[in-house]
Amino acid sequence: MEIPKHYDAAGAEGKWYRHWLDKRYFHSTPDHREPYTVVIPPPNVTGVLHMGHMLNNTIQDVLVRRARMLGKNACWVPGTDHASIATEAKVVKLLAEQGIKKSAIGREKFLEHAFAWKEKYGGVILEQLKKLGASCDWDRTRFTMEPELSDAVTGVFIDLHKKGLIYRGQRMVNWDPQALTAVSDEEVIHREVNSKLYHVRYPVEGTADQWVTIATTRPETILGDTAVAVHPEDERYAHLKGKRVLVPLIGRSVPLIFDDYVDREFGTGALKVTPAHDINDWEIGQRHKLEVVDTLNPDGTLSAAAQLYVGEDRFVVRKKIAKQLEAEGFLVKTEDIVNKVGYSERTDAVIEPRLSLQWFLRMAELAKPALDVVMDGQVKLHPQKFANTYRHWMENVRDWCISRQLWWGQQIPAWYNEHGDAAVCRTKAEAIAQFEAAGQSTAGVKQDEDVVDTWFSSWLWPISVFDGFKDPDNADIKYYYPTNDLVTAPEILFFWVARMIMAGLEYRGEVPFKNVYLTGIVRDKQGRKMSKSLGNSPDPLELIAKYGADGVRVGMLLSSPAGNDLPFDEGLCEQGRNFSNKIWNAFRLVKGWEVAEKEQPASSAAAVAWMRSRIARATIELNGLYDQFRISEALMATYKLIWDDLCSWYLEAVKPAFVDGQAEPIDAATYEATLSLFEDVLKLLHPYMPFLSEEIWHLMRDRAAGDDIIVAAWPKGGAGDAKLEAEVQHAFDLVSAVRNERSGRGISPKEQLNVAVKGAAPMEQAVSSLVNKLANVGAINAVEKAAEGSITFLVGTTEYAIDLGSNVDAAAEAKKAEEELKYLRGFLTSVDKKLGNERFVSGAPPQVLENERKKKADAEAKIKALEERLAVLK
């Protein structure tokens, strides 16, 4: 079969992905095998593939493909999240372009438009993941708002309400004045911005010349102040105990209160308290039973309670009120500062802390067991450093605001009668029955207009994708749950991961997964997070078109250890493509050999045995790295096994010699062994480079139907032959040394050299024959002393000599030896210092001490050999 000169990535990707789908290799049903289950972090249905998705899903696919090769029943469940705010915003915009207002068409009609949009545009990202090679079970694709999953959300809400964990109350929330909804903490992006700090003085009531000065970046909220607070131990204000101050411009009399929250070292040590517009002020207000004056409308304009600037936008008022404060003598000074301001992730509007009547879930009771399972290792975080972050969050957990003022999402299963009494149940009929049973009015019964937070559906994901709420004993949930590994981003460790653990323990009595692999953030060369707004994020599909899916997969993982940010450089994808080309060219080289029935050379037998041992040991090493979720390191170990061991050494060692410009045939035993070894490294490579490995697998031999690498058995691995590997490594080091001497002296590689060894060579004759072939040297003879006119050099601690006759420059050789000796003596001194340090010796692990002692012995042996060599040269 003619092997194309160049690897056609695009052709292979389309061909093999279709083949895998046709063979249903990605599909999983419960059977006798050990399950390996992964649920995808569901991307927003509005989303398109970005670099973070690329990294996350490549890692998931690596784990799933390897599990499949290990003989496990691999099940990777895909799906999308309905993304309440993002999707609703897109649909509202689409309708506005058609001249339609959301409020004009009503909820039912709006949802029809939203579902139509979802069917037309949603799920694009899942199609894009196929281009990456994601081996998801597409038959199992789920959507967080499909009927079964929505029923699960409703059922959980009702259950938690019955248990007293869900309640309705007025609390401070993150309010998006543009989307007109509460948003969760993770949907708030904090940015550093240039702001002004206004120092404003409040007159002490009943005095003519006493003032209390505060500082604020939001002077428009002064109109909602209901106290000024100072620290109880701040002596500057002790004389004002029991006094009141007047709010500037409106003259409202408010108390001067004393509270430990105030930082007396910051500014003047006095704090304006606006309970309706700041979470900390709200808590102070609760402690001191302060009045709450809400001066903002939902759309960010000032309400009637503000008394001034009613109906005007908050930021317009900020400028106007600053001028009025100055004009009336209340503004002491204005400073330019840089501070952090929260923005809505979806609309980019500045978030307002706002008091709102919302539904909440009590978290403390759910959080404790979810903390315990991470602390005791039932759920392992990789890297482990995130356990402290997790513990901090869980020990300081706040109740979760689960209601959103939107229509796209699961509608809250609460019903109200004409008096505002509430019944939590699935249907209006059930609500009426509850009101009747309680002796309450059944007139004007209406369902709550709000929907639940998107995370309130996705926290059920590992259970709901297997219909574990619909039928808690169905075959899928019993087989696939708990899942094995979750791959996600650290920024949603609390908002999603912790909540899934809570839900898993609450509803299944088991953790939802055993391992959580936390990826880093993909950043550009300047360290900035990649984003559309910065224009620094390449289009992943363009990268795939340019470098091949396998090239991009390898590029993404070459420098992305778990939990550490990935400094992305397109050059990494180029390196991935170069790796593809290296493997392809190596394969073409092997398939280009003519095969003959003849005796296997000793050098080839040694090379085959060595490579077999290397693969066996590398497989064990790789298994250990996978077990520790050191995925990047596993890739690098695979990369080196193929690039260095297979391509640079093994193929060089076994390739047929050229005689009179013609390659001689290779013996059949070596050729078959080479194909077998190549197959093993392709298997190790497959999780990272699925398309290339499948393409070469099928070009390598005629395959029976179903003999595909995607389902080939993962190599067994083993201890290998450490003695042989050490000998062969010594042989390769000797080859490199001889080649260096040739290169430095301009000696042609075609000229055979005579090499001698002082004492006995630390390698068997078969291994020694590798040196004969690769370095073009004759038999390596053992000698007591190097011949006159020889140059000597060390490989490890073994001294070798090349007989150059009269071509040796003794003075130059002596100078070179003296320089090497100077370096080695300095090195030995540094090692001796370490070993002479009692603290180091008593504290260092045994392996480290052993390494240092070996360094000392090696250096001493090399120094002795160099001193003897110098004596001869001089």
Side-chain angles (χ1 to χ4, degrees):
M1 184 192 298
E2 183 68 27
I3 310 295
K5 187 173 182 183
H6 300 291
Y7 170 55
D8 174 15
E13 287 158 18
K15 173 175 69 179
W16 292 117
Y17 204 85
R18 280 192 303 274
H19 176 76
W20 296 330
L21 287 174
D22 290 344
K23 289 285 187 179
R24 296 182 63 72
Y25 286 139
F26 305 163
H27 184 58
S28 173
T29 51
D31 63 19
H32 62 282
R33 291 173 294 168
E34 177 189 345
Y36 176 80
T37 318
V38 172
V39 293
I40 200 170
N44 287 355
V45 73
T46 59
V48 292
L49 202 61
H50 60 58
M51 299 305 287
H53 294 132
M54 293 279 280
L55 174 62
N56 184 298
N57 287 283
T58 297
I59 292 166
Q60 288 178 82
D61 197 46
V62 166
L63 296 172
V64 169
R65 285 180 181 274
R66 177 171 174 267
R68 197 178 282 122
M69 296 176 80
L70 285 167
K72 296 177 184 178
N73 188 348
C75 179
W76 182 11
V77 181
T80 49
D81 189 287
H82 64 274
S84 294
I85 297 175
T87 306
E88 184 148 327
K90 282 189 184 289
V91 177
V92 166
K93 186 182 175 191
L94 185 73
L95 291 173
E97 287 167 2
Q98 299 168 28
I100 303 170
K101 276 191 171 181
K102 169 186 163 184
S103 55
I105 59 173
R107 184 183 208 114
E108 200 172 315
K109 200 75 182 162
F110 176 80
L111 289 175
E112 283 178 22
H113 282 283
F115 272 107
W117 182 93
K118 179 256 172 187
E119 289 306 316
K120 188 172 181 182
Y121 300 105
V124 167
I125 192 166
L126 298 184
E127 291 305 309
Q128 293 176 326
L129 284 176
K130 293 176 182 179
K131 299 280 187 193
L132 184 66
S135 59
C136 302
D137 184 349
W138 300 109
D139 295 343
R140 290 183 174 274
T141 303
R142 305 306 296 258
F143 174 53
T144 52
M145 249 179 81
E146 64 182 75
E148 290 87 350
L149 273 66
S150 289
D151 281 351
V153 169
T154 301
V156 166
F157 189 105
I158 294 166
D159 177 66
L160 293 173
H161 181 264
K162 277 181 186 165
K163 291 172 178 171
L165 293 175
I166 282 181
Y167 64 94
R168 195 172 186 231
Q170 195 170 52
R171 294 286 186 278
M172 189 69 62
V173 296
N174 300 310
W175 186 260
D176 181 336
Q178 190 171 322
L180 297 177
T181 182
V183 296
S184 55
D185 288 345
E186 74 280 358
E187 291 164 324
V188 179
I189 308 297
H190 292 276
R191 294 190 208 127
E192 287 196 339
V193 296
N194 295 318
S195 298
K196 291 191 181 298
L197 186 65
Y198 301 89
H199 294 255
V200 182
R201 60 182 190 166
Y202 291 49
V204 177
E205 191 175 28
T207 70
D209 58 355
Q210 289 193 59
W211 307 81
V212 176
T213 301
I214 60 88
T216 180
T217 56
R218 301 160 69 209
E220 69 280 7
T221 63
I222 282 172
L223 304 174
D225 286 357
T226 56
V228 169
V230 295
H231 196 278
E233 295 170 11
D234 195 333
E235 293 176 3
R236 290 173 294 179
Y237 301 104
H239 66 291
L240 294 177
K241 202 158 195 173
K243 298 283 188 182
R244 298 175 74 83
V245 297
L246 300 175
V247 176
L249 304 184
I250 54 174
R252 181 189 298 127
S253 172
V254 300
L256 185 86
I257 59 173
F258 291 79
D259 194 281
D260 289 335
Y261 171 77
V262 182
D263 181 359
R264 55 189 149 168
E265 305 301 323
F266 180 76
T268 62
L271 176 78
K272 68 189 274 309
V273 183
T274 321
H277 300 295
D278 182 276
I279 183 62
N280 298 309
D281 291 10
W282 163 256
E283 288 170 357
I284 292 171
Q286 292 293 290
R287 287 196 290 275
H288 295 271
K289 297 183 171 52
L290 297 178
E291 181 188 1
V292 177
V293 179
D294 188 350
T295 59
L296 282 177
N297 291 317
D299 64 357
T301 58
L302 267 65
S303 70
Q307 302 180 43
L308 302 175
Y309 307 109
V310 175
E312 295 189 51
D313 182 77
R314 55 190 168 149
F315 296 123
V316 172
V317 174
R318 183 172 296 179
K319 291 178 180 175
K320 286 185 176 181
I321 205 168
K323 287 180 182 175
Q324 189 178 349
L325 287 165
E326 186 175 21
E328 296 189 23
F330 294 108
L331 188 65
V332 178
K333 64 176 180 176
T334 305
E335 288 179 73
D336 290 324
I337 63 162
V338 174
N339 67 329
K340 283 194 171 178
V341 174
Y343 288 80
S344 169
E345 183 183 37
R346 301 302 174 196
T347 64
D348 208 38
V350 173
I351 291 294
E352 278 295 340
R354 185 169 187 266
L355 272 181
S356 184
L357 189 61
Q358 303 282 352
W359 287 94
F360 292 86
L361 173 59
R362 297 184 204 281
M363 297 294 276
E365 191 178 313
L366 296 169
K368 186 175 185 318
L371 172 60
D372 292 343
V373 294
V374 170
M375 292 299 108
D376 68 16
Q378 287 183 60
V379 175
K380 291 184 172 65
L381 304 184
H382 305 274
Q384 180 61 28
K385 67 180 182 182
F386 284 108
N388 287 332
T389 309
Y390 183 88
R391 183 174 62 200
H392 174 75
W393 275 335
M394 299 297 266
E395 287 176 345
N396 296 279
V397 70
R398 290 186 172 187
D399 288 357
W400 175 11
C401 174
I402 56 174
S403 46
R404 296 289 179 270
Q405 290 62 55
L406 300 164
W407 285 350
W408 177 247
Q410 287 91 3
Q411 195 169 354
I412 286 174
W415 306 76
Y416 308 104
N417 63 16
E418 60 181 345
H419 302 305
D421 300 315
V424 173
C425 49
R426 285 186 182 273
T427 66
K428 187 175 181 178
E430 288 177 69
I432 289 169
Q434 281 191 29
F435 288 136
E436 284 176 343
Q440 296 168 332
S441 170
T442 57
V445 174
K446 286 199 308 188
Q447 188 172 357
D448 196 309
E449 286 283 307
D450 292 352
V451 299
V452 292
D453 179 13
T454 300
W455 296 102
F456 196 82
S457 56
S458 54
W459 78 317
L460 309 177
W461 187 248
I463 304 173
S464 60
V465 295
F466 298 115
D467 291 325
F469 292 100
K470 183 180 177 183
D471 178 3
D473 292 314
N474 78 73
D476 275 4
I477 193 75
K478 287 167 77 173
Y479 182 73
Y480 293 115
Y481 189 96
T483 70
N484 293 75
D485 304 326
L486 178 78
V487 181
T488 190
E491 54 262 39
I492 55 172
L493 177 59
F494 175 69
F495 302 111
W496 189 46
V497 178
R499 288 168 179 170
M500 284 191 287
I501 295 172
M502 292 177 201
L505 293 171
E506 181 70 15
Y507 288 103
R508 297 294 305 177
E510 287 182 281
V511 297
F513 28 70
K514 303 174 188 87
N515 296 286
V516 180
Y517 179 105
L518 296 152
T519 65
I521 294 170
V522 185
R523 298 189 181 275
D524 65 13
K525 291 183 196 175
Q526 297 173 44
R528 300 175 304 174
K529 184 177 178 179
M530 286 193 165
S531 68
K532 278 195 291 187
S533 58
L534 285 175
N536 63 346
S537 180
D539 180 340
L541 296 182
E542 287 179 11
L543 289 176
I544 288 173
K546 190 173 180 182
Y547 300 106
D550 289 342
V552 177
R553 288 166 68 109
V554 167
M556 291 293 294
L557 292 180
L558 274 173
S559 61
S560 59
N564 290 332
D565 291 351
L566 163 63
F568 182 76
D569 180 343
E570 199 170 312
L572 293 167
C573 295
E574 189 175 358
Q575 191 177 342
R577 182 182 63 190
N578 293 346
F579 187 39
S580 294
N581 292 339
K582 179 82 170 178
I583 298 164
W584 185 258
N585 290 334
F587 169 63
R588 286 184 72 242
L589 172 74
V590 172
K591 290 299 281 185
W593 291 337
E594 187 185 330
V595 185
E597 289 296 335
K598 60 177 190 175
E599 189 179 349
Q600 184 182 39
S603 59
S604 293
V608 166
W610 169 76
M611 192 68 211
R612 197 167 278 137
S613 177
R614 279 294 302 118
I615 291 170
R617 274 205 314 115
T619 302
I620 297 299
E621 179 193 349
L622 288 172
N623 290 342
L625 291 170
Y626 276 113
D627 289 346
Q628 297 169 63
F629 290 86
R630 289 157 67 182
I631 310 298
S632 267
E633 288 175 59
L635 168 60
M636 189 49 72
T638 308
Y639 186 100
K640 287 179 176 174
L641 178 72
I642 294 172
W643 193 291
D644 297 343
D645 295 342
L646 181 73
C647 297
S648 298
W649 285 114
Y650 174 77
L651 293 180
E652 283 294 308
V654 300
K655 79 177 180 186
F658 266 75
V659 178
D660 298 329
Q662 289 288 314
E664 291 197 327
I666 189 169
D667 66 281
T670 301
Y671 181 73
E672 278 304 312
T674 301
L675 291 186
S676 174
L677 294 166
F678 216 125
E679 284 176 328
D680 279 347
V681 296
L682 284 176
K683 290 175 187 176
L684 298 175
L685 179 69
H686 177 76
Y688 296 100
M689 305 185 90
F691 297 110
L692 176 76
S693 55
E694 194 74 86
E695 178 78 354
I696 294 177
W697 181 261
H698 285 273
L699 289 171
M700 188 167 278
R701 303 181 194 268
D702 291 331
R703 304 276 176 193
D707 183 2
D708 297 311
I709 199 168
I710 187 175
V711 288
W714 185 256
K716 284 273 185 270
D721 184 335
K723 179 175 178 293
L724 173 66
E725 284 192 45
E727 285 186 25
V728 172
Q729 188 56 55
H730 184 87
F732 290 159
D733 291 343
L734 175 54
V735 169
S736 296
V738 172
R739 286 175 177 173
N740 287 340
E741 294 296 346
R742 279 186 190 277
S743 174
R745 290 174 168 73
I747 302 169
S748 167
K750 292 178 181 176
E751 184 182 333
Q752 191 176 75
L753 297 175
N754 294 318
V755 173
V757 60
K758 188 175 178 186
M763 50 189 173
E764 299 289 337
Q765 185 57 45
V767 175
S768 183
S769 65
L770 280 170
V771 183
N772 305 144
K773 178 177 180 179
L774 291 169
N776 191 16
V777 300
I780 301 172
N781 298 313
V783 295
E784 295 259 332
K785 183 179 173 187
E788 188 100 11
S790 293
I791 53 143
T792 59
F793 55 90
L794 291 168
V795 176
T797 56
T798 305
E799 187 174 0
Y800 288 91
I802 300 175
D803 186 356
L804 295 180
S806 60
N807 293 326
V808 149
D809 181 342
E813 292 300 320
K815 187 182 177 189
K816 190 175 166 188
E818 281 169 345
E819 286 171 358
E820 204 174 333
L821 200 52
K822 184 181 176 185
Y823 165 77
L824 281 168
R825 283 171 177 157
F827 177 75
L828 182 60
T829 302
S830 70
V831 174
D832 280 337
K833 273 184 186 172
K834 261 191 190 178
L835 290 171
N837 183 330
E838 279 185 35
R839 278 181 65 188
F840 172 77
V841 172
S842 60
Q847 186 59 49
V848 172
L849 275 178
E850 184 57 37
N851 287 344
E852 290 301 318
R853 288 178 182 132
K854 187 175 184 307
K855 285 180 192 174
K856 176 180 167 73
D858 286 352
E860 286 171 340
K862 286 178 179 179
I863 287 168
K864 183 171 181 287
L866 279 168
E867 285 172 340
E868 290 174 1
R869 182 170 157 198
L870 262 176
V872 171
L873 287 166
K874 288 182 174 179

